[in-house]
């Protein structure tokens, strides 16, 4: 399997440089909306979404502006889900406290062993990757990282607050073509007898150093799959560093603002990775070849899931959804490793839903006011656990049904037109 041939303009887009066609469509969407400012997560999704979906979005916006208002408020759920944690899903008081850093344990890692991973699968991944990070070929504090997040593999009972957000795959249908989604979906939902059951396996895991694992989850870099050999024994991927964002996830941004380019980067901000493969720092455009000695027992990472990661990790970066992670290192392979992250996700979800039903969403306010409001929200971290509950924080049932009905109608229209 290999990536589809791309045009010169599409070649620019892999470096976050908008094609002329995307620029023209965004201009049309801006005119249909009748406003300049949009929410940052929504803007981020528009930078990588399929152009056919962007055309449908323009048509839907011309028919009724409420569609785009609801979509702006719910787009944040996409990067939150992809950052290995579901927004607002777990009781804030159930996480285990993380232990201080030691020479043998990174900061934020609990003392207890993982309870939600198959050790047998992890051993197979370690054997396939020679217990070395696929990027640096270093074995210091190597972790097994999932491509498709564990929180999506193991769905939990949804709280009243989380139930107000449309399901993850329904939101993706608004931004990506059905053919692409079918390919991603079939890579993780493999059981024909249980089509709604996500399956984990060696195909969904790779070895990374602890720091690379955290950086990947934060969206500091993305891996673009290039080609898989016919014998399924080798797979090439291209590393793309993502630039540091100057906005926050709650800011307003001009719909036509171009994203930061990734070309020629040797890191993201101050974060860099030295690779023994090249004997230098990794750069955007470096090609890494993953191999396996047995594609049956030790399969390579799924090409389709890596492609999914390529799109969604860049949304995480552009939306600045991971800014809270700067203060909270974590290991997503250990249950309960990051209690602070659950607080962050609950607060982010609460603020997003609250704006959905406000008379004037934050992205329609003055930009300086928007930044001020965002700063206030950041200072309220310590109070979130007391303020976020499942009893009265969320919108009323009638409001919830209003949102669900609107998004359901949109996704059904997209599916019928696909």
């Amino acid at each position: 399997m290999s990536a589809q041939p791309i045009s010169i303009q599409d070649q620019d887009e892999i470096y976050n440089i908008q094609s002329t066609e995307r620029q023209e469509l965004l201009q049309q969407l801006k005119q249909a909306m009748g406003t300049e400012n949009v929410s940052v997560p929504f803007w981020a999704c528009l930078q990588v979404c399929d152009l056919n979906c962007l055309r449908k979005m323009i048509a839907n916006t011309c028919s009724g502006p409420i569609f785009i208002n609801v979509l702006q408020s719910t787009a944040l759920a996409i990067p939150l889900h992809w950052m290995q944690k579901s927004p607002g899903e777990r009781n804030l008081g159930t996480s285990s406290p993380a232990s201080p850093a030691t020479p043998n344990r990174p900061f934020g890692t609990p003392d207890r062993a993982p309870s939600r991973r198959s050790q047998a699968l992890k051993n197979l991944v370690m054997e396939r990757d020679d217990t070395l990070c696929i990027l640096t070929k270093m074995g210091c504090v190597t972790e097994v990282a999932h491509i498709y997040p564990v929180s999506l593999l193991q769905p939990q009972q949804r709280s009243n607050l989380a139930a107000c957000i449309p399901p993850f795959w329904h939101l993706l249908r608004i931004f990506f073509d059905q053919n692409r989604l079918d390919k991603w979906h079939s890579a993780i939902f493999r059981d024909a007898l249980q089509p709604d059951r996500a399956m984990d396996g060696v195909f969904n895991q790779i070895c990374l150093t602890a720091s690379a694992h955290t950086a990947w989850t934060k969206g500091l870099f993305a891996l673009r799959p290039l080609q898989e050999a016919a014998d399924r024994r080798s797979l090439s991927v291209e590393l793309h560093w993502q630039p540091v964002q100057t906005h926050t996830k709650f800011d307003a941004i001009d719909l036509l603002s171009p994203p930061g380019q990734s070309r020629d980067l040797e890191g993201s901000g101050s974060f860099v990775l030295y690779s023994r493969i090249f004997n230098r720092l990794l750069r955007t455009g470096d090609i890494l070849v993953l191999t396996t000695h047995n594609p049956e027992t030790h399969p390579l990472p799924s090409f389709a899931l890596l492609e999914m990661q390529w799109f969604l990790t860049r949304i995480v970066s552009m939306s600045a959804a991971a800014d809270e992670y700067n203060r909270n290192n974590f290991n997503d392979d250990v249950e309960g490793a990051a209690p602070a992250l659950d607080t962050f996700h609950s607060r982010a979800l609460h603020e997003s839903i609250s704006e959905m039903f406000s008379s004037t969403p934050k992205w329609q306010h003055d930009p300086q006011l928007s930044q001020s409001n965002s700063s206030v929200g950041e200072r309220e971290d310590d109070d979130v656990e007391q303020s976020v509950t499942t009893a009265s924080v969320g919108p009323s049932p009638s409001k919830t049904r209003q949102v669900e009905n609107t998004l359901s109608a949109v996704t059904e229209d997209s599916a019928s037109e696909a």
Side-chain angles (χ1 to χ4, degrees):
M1 181 181 294
S2 62
Q4 295 293 324
I6 55 178
S7 66
I8 295 177
Q9 283 195 352
D10 289 337
Q11 182 69 41
D12 286 339
E13 287 221 331
I14 69 174
Y15 299 107
N16 304 338
I17 302 172
Q18 296 171 340
S19 66
T20 301
E21 186 174 10
R22 187 178 300 274
Q23 292 174 350
E24 293 172 350
L25 289 173
L26 290 175
Q27 181 65 52
Q28 293 177 32
L29 180 61
K30 179 177 180 179
Q31 293 175 352
M33 293 176 61
T35 182
E36 293 186 358
N37 292 339
V38 296
S39 68
V40 162
F42 176 64
W43 167 85
C45 291
L46 296 179
Q47 306 310 311
V48 303
C49 73
D50 287 320
L51 296 184
N52 285 336
C53 293
L54 187 49
R55 294 186 187 95
K56 295 173 185 176
M57 201 176 299
I58 295 169
N60 283 322
T61 304
C62 291
S63 300
I66 188 173
F67 156 74
I68 214 74
N69 290 333
V70 173
L71 189 54
Q72 287 196 68
S73 299
T74 57
L76 178 59
I78 293 178
L80 290 189
H81 272 299
W82 198 248
M83 289 190 297
Q84 308 289 350
K85 299 283 184 178
S86 294
E89 291 295 335
R90 192 166 57 185
N91 189 315
L92 295 177
T94 60
S95 299
S96 300
S99 301
T102 69
N104 297 319
R105 184 178 62 246
F107 176 82
T109 305
D111 292 322
R112 57 193 178 90
S115 63
R116 293 189 177 183
R117 297 288 200 276
S118 166
Q119 190 61 47
L121 286 179
K122 294 182 70 173
N123 291 341
L124 290 174
V125 177
M126 288 285 192
E127 290 173 5
R128 183 198 64 199
D129 297 342
D130 296 325
T131 322
L132 299 174
C133 172
I134 65 168
L135 305 178
T136 66
K137 291 303 178 182
M138 296 181 182
C140 180
V141 198
T142 301
E143 299 178 352
V144 174
H146 277 66
I147 303 171
Y148 186 82
V150 178
S151 60
L152 294 172
L153 285 168
Q154 302 171 336
Q156 303 173 9
Q157 183 177 1
R158 306 183 82 196
S159 67
N160 292 342
L161 191 60
C164 298
I165 297 297
F168 175 68
W169 285 95
H170 288 193
L171 285 172
L172 293 185
R173 286 168 59 183
I174 299 174
F175 296 101
F176 297 101
D177 290 338
Q178 192 61 47
N179 289 341
R180 190 188 300 278
L181 288 180
D182 288 344
K183 183 171 55 176
W184 295 351
H185 195 271
S186 62
I188 202 71
F189 294 88
R190 299 183 168 207
D191 191 342
L193 298 179
Q194 301 182 71
D196 295 329
R197 179 187 177 188
M199 298 184 65
D200 198 10
V202 179
F203 63 87
N204 186 39
Q205 304 178 35
I206 57 176
C207 284
L208 295 173
T209 62
S211 59
H213 188 179
T214 301
W216 190 37
T217 304
K218 291 170 60 175
L220 271 60
F221 66 86
L223 300 174
R224 177 174 171 252
L226 299 178
Q227 186 170 12
E228 183 176 19
D231 61 5
R232 298 182 293 126
R233 290 179 179 270
S234 64
L235 170 67
S236 58
V237 298
E238 187 176 57
L239 181 137
H240 284 252
W241 290 107
Q242 299 302 301
V244 174
Q245 307 300 329
T246 58
H247 52 250
T248 74
K249 58 189 170 292
F250 293 127
D251 281 344
I253 189 170
D254 191 313
L255 178 60
L256 302 184
S257 294
Q261 299 183 20
S262 64
R263 196 192 299 272
D264 299 327
L265 294 181
E266 288 194 342
S268 181
S270 60
F271 184 85
V272 296
L273 287 173
Y274 182 88
S275 176
R276 289 180 176 172
I277 303 172
F278 305 99
N279 290 321
R280 58 168 171 77
L281 297 179
L282 284 170
R283 304 167 184 161
T284 288
D286 281 340
I287 295 177
L288 309 155
V289 180
L290 317 183
T291 60
T292 180
H293 64 282
N294 190 328
E296 301 300 330
T297 60
H298 299 69
L300 290 167
S302 164
F303 192 98
L305 292 181
L306 283 172
E307 183 188 75
M308 186 179 189
Q309 165 272 155
W310 163 246
F311 284 94
L312 300 191
T313 300
R314 288 185 295 151
I315 290 177
V316 169
S317 172
M318 293 181 194
S319 64
D323 54 6
E324 286 288 328
Y325 285 86
N326 291 328
R327 288 178 262 163
N328 300 286
N329 294 331
F330 74 103
N331 175 1
D332 89 304
D333 285 301
V334 181
E335 180 185 3
L341 300 186
D342 288 318
T343 300
F344 157 57
H345 284 124
S346 295
R347 179 175 62 79
L349 183 63
H350 170 58
E351 292 192 20
S352 182
I353 293 175
S354 297
E355 288 188 12
M356 186 188 305
F357 301 108
S358 69
S359 57
T360 308
K362 188 179 295 182
W363 53 81
Q364 294 180 12
H365 289 169
D366 180 86
Q368 293 183 349
L369 228 122
S370 172
Q371 295 174 2
S372 174
N373 290 342
S374 177
S375 299
V376 171
E378 299 294 332
R379 293 194 297 270
E380 294 174 349
D381 273 353
D382 296 336
D383 301 325
V384 173
E385 185 166 344
Q386 289 75 23
S387 63
V388 176
T389 69
T390 59
S392 59
V393 172
S396 67
S398 61
K399 290 292 186 181
T400 300
R401 287 192 295 272
Q402 176 187 341
V403 176
E404 291 176 341
N405 291 340
T406 301
L407 267 295
S408 176
V410 170
T411 53
E412 286 175 3
D413 288 344
S414 298
S416 62
E417 293 177 15

